[in-house]
Amino acid sequence: MVEVFAVASGKGGTGKTTSTVALGMALSERYDVTVVDADTGMANLLFHAGLSDAETTLHDVLADDAPVEAATYDRFGMTVVPCGTSLDGFRDADPDRLREVVATLAAGTDVILLDSPPALDSRTAVLPVVLADRIVVVLQPTIPAISDGLKVQEYATTYDTGVAGLLFNKVRESESIDRVAEKTERYFDGPTLAAVPESERAREARRAGRPLLAHAPDCAAAAAYRRAADALTVREGSPGDAADRFRSAVVPEQL
Amino acid sequence: MKLPRGRLRRSRVVTEPRDVLADVLDRGLTGYAVFESQETLLLDAEGRGVVTFADGVPVLAYHTGTDRGGPPALADLAVPGPYHVSLYALDAADLEPAHRADDLRVPPGMPAERLAGDPALADSTRRAAPADRRDAVERGGSTDDAGDAQSAVEAFLDDTEKIEAIKDQARAEARERAAEWEF
């Protein structure tokens, strides 16, 4: 089985990469998980997963200079496909090859998480959302973040991608998150998976180049990510179906 | 809310309200900003948001279209950009009568946090606020928790019509771009 999730937000700064890695680690207790840095223009997954010295990255694969296998690394119980940070790498990468990369990875894993660009302004930025089966929307309880999250959802559903759920992140105590989450859910097609408190531990983890769940597994934020992973029901699908789907044009014909 | 006309300091189109709030804080502006969304689809013809500032720190928020003030006005203001923004300077004495309207007040960091979604900017704004207003923030926070005050985010979420308009607009954009991007 394989299900592909795009972890998405309309804006940067919501803690999307921290969330992708944390969800990945939490899900890896039950599933074989592959995490891909699909934010090819502003890669930072490598810094979160202790892979800043990775020699071969998704950029090389997208430039057709390396096979996918050369850019996969086993870290913290997951398979991680980092992206490089050089501008040259970004320039030479052909985003359309991401489709093929996902298809190849789909054959050997249960869950693929695509850390997606925090924007909707280009084909490259939207592609991961198009490729995914469902999105996980990372939100802060602020008007701009919710409003951008709504836009991501509408793009996703227009392109026939479902909504797996909402993840509120960097939540402060003073924010009445239960009420905000309840009201927010009315406009989204998926439930709230968890509300993750703002956490100094998450910043420390990022500085240490380790996932939050490895750095501070007992903190409140880590517990919230585990709850989110538990709330996420991974759907059955066969790798063959997925591979075919990704290799063909994925967008419904009515568009 | 009645304000004397100020001296125009800046008038431009911005995509992010954050830039305006950061600019005002940097300049330590005393006066007000008028936000006008360029997206007429989502606004009443009369819809303009006004935020007043004392030494760069937000004091009042008011929306001319909905006639709401305080945190709910921030929600009214929060439509997708771009916005046309005009900044006006006023003497503190000219703002003083307007600033007596307690029901229009917003905690200093709230516009940055709720309108711009930028907790770091909100923190620096709170640091720049006079001590009595910093205290007021904490009171505001606890009132919020108690459910006495409707936060700006909740007011935004209660505006079904506006949210449906944002969704409709995004769907139209997504369809248009699908053709453009050859998905």
Side-chain angles (χ1 to χ4, degrees), chain B residues 1-3 50-52 58-63 67-74 97-107 110-111 133:
Chain B
M1 180 167 70
K2 287 259 184 285
L3 286 174
V50 182
V51 179
T52 69
V59 181
L60 304 182
Y62 176 73
H63 196 270
D67 194 29
R68 298 203 293 180
L74 294 177
H99 280 179
R100 276 187 225 131
D102 283 344
D103 53 332
L104 304 183
R105 281 189 171 250
V106 288
M110 192 184 261
R133 295 207 57 216

Side-chain angles (χ1 to χ4, degrees), chain A residues 120-121 155 159, chain B residues 172-183:
Chain A
L120 294 167
D121 56 359
Y155 268 71
Y159 302 147
Chain B
E173 205 176 274
R175 267 184 235 113
E176 197 177 302
R177 288 182 169 180
E180 187 186 322
W181 292 334
E182 296 174 347
F183 278 150

Side-chain angles (χ1 to χ4, degrees), chain A residues 11 120 122-123 126 130 141-144 146 150 154-155 158-159 172 174-176 179-180 183-184 187 251, chain B residues 16 78 113-117 119 126 144-145 153-154 157-158 160 163 167 171 173-174 177-178 181 183:
Chain A
K11 265 204 171 58
L120 294 167
S122 69
R123 193 176 193 283
V126 176
V130 174
T142 65
I143 296 168
I146 295 172
L150 284 164
E154 298 311 311
Y155 268 71
T158 300
Y159 302 147
R172 296 180 173 202
S174 60
E175 287 161 331
S176 35
R179 288 206 307 271
V180 168
K183 290 184 177 187
T184 304
Y187 303 105
V251 170
Chain B
E16 300 284 345
E113 205 150 280
R114 303 296 163 95
L115 195 57
R126 275 189 285 263
D144 222 40
D145 271 355
V153 176
E154 287 182 63
L157 290 167
D158 286 338
T160 311
I163 293 189
K167 290 171 76 171
R171 272 196 299 274
E173 205 176 274
R177 288 182 169 180
W181 292 334
F183 278 150

Side-chain angles (χ1 to χ4, degrees), chain B residues 33-49:
Chain B
V34 180
F35 293 77
E36 209 164 347
S37 172
Q38 302 291 287
E39 188 46 76
T40 46
L41 175 73
L42 298 176
L43 268 192
D44 308 330
E46 307 269 321
R48 274 175 304 187

Side-chain angles (χ1 to χ4, degrees), chain A residues 37 39-47 52 57 59 82-90:
Chain A
D37 194 347
D39 188 356
T40 53
M42 190 68 90
N44 64 0
L45 181 65
L46 73 175
F47 301 120
S52 46
T57 72
H59 272 163
C83 197
T85 53
S86 82
L87 276 177
D88 287 349
F90 177 58

